[in-house]
Amino acid sequence: MSESKKVLEVVEAFMKEMCDWESKFFEEKMKLVDEGKGTSDCNKKYKDLLGSIFLRYSIRDGRTWARLELLGSSSPAMYDPLRDQVSEPEIIAGKAYVEVQQVEGFESKFRFGLVCVDGEWKIKRKDTFRNGKWEKSSL
C-alpha cells in the first residue's frame, strides 16, 4: 500500500471516529440537559473515549489535545469523512499534510500534519485556515 493511501486511511478513520464520538456525545448530553439532569458523568465518559481516540491517531501535544480539557460537541459534527472534501496527501521529507474542506455547517478549512512513528502515521498537528493564514488549533 502506498504511503499516500496509508495517510488517507489514518485521517479518514480519525474523522469517522470523531464524527461518531461527537454525534453520540452531543445527543447524550443534550438529552440530559433537556431532562434537567447533571452532565458530569457524561462528560467524564466522553472525555475518556476522546482520549482513547487521540492516543490511537495522534501524538500528544498540549495545544492539539486541548479539546480534552474543553470538551465540546455540535451538530453537525466537526468532522465527517462522508460530507467533507479531503485532499490527497502531500508528503514531504517524512511529513504528510492533508487538507479538509467542510461543505456544510461552518464550512471551515483545516489541515492535518502527520508524521510517521515506528512505521505508523500519526497526526501531529491540526491547523485551521483563518484570516488568510494557517493557525494551529486543537483536534
Side-chain angles (χ1 to χ4, degrees):
M1 178 183 305
S2 74
E3 292 304 303
S4 289
K5 282 196 182 288
K6 290 178 186 177
V7 169
L8 271 180
E9 280 187 359
V10 168
V11 169
E12 289 174 350
F14 171 75
M15 290 176 64
K16 182 186 181 316
E17 285 198 41
M18 286 298 294
C19 183
D20 292 344
W21 172 87
E22 188 169 5
S23 298
K24 289 174 184 170
F25 180 36
F26 183 81
E27 183 179 315
E28 191 170 320
K29 189 166 184 171
M30 288 301 104
K31 182 178 181 207
L32 291 169
V33 169
D34 290 344
E35 294 171 353
K37 296 179 179 176
T39 61
S40 59
D41 288 343
C42 177
N43 290 343
K44 168 84 171 91
K45 171 185 169 181
Y46 282 93
K47 180 178 182 174
D48 292 345
L49 290 169
L50 182 60
S52 68
I53 294 169
F54 283 179
L55 282 171
R56 217 172 8 266
Y57 294 102
S58 69
I59 295 171
R60 186 177 196 106
D61 176 273
R63 175 69 185 247
T64 304
W65 282 31
R67 191 169 184 177
L68 280 172
E69 299 308 317
L70 302 168
L71 284 183
S73 61
S74 62
S75 182
M78 167 77 71
Y79 306 112
D80 187 338
L82 300 177
R83 171 199 68 203
D84 300 337
Q85 295 174 347
V86 180
S87 73
E88 286 296 317
E90 180 180 346
I91 301 175
I92 304 168
K95 295 180 182 176
Y97 300 92
V98 177
E99 290 186 17
V100 177
Q101 176 67 57
Q102 293 176 324
V103 294
E104 291 179 19
F106 291 111
E107 297 183 7
S108 297
K109 182 177 181 178
F110 51 90
R111 73 176 173 199
F112 294 108
L114 296 89
V115 294
C116 194
V117 178
D118 298 327
E120 288 186 72
W121 287 97
K122 298 271 189 173
I123 299 168
K124 184 173 182 176
R125 65 181 293 146
K126 176 187 163 198
D127 300 308
T128 302
F129 196 72
R130 294 186 187 108
N131 304 317
K133 63 181 179 177
W134 293 106
E135 297 177 8
K136 191 170 183 180
S137 59
S138 66
L139 290 172

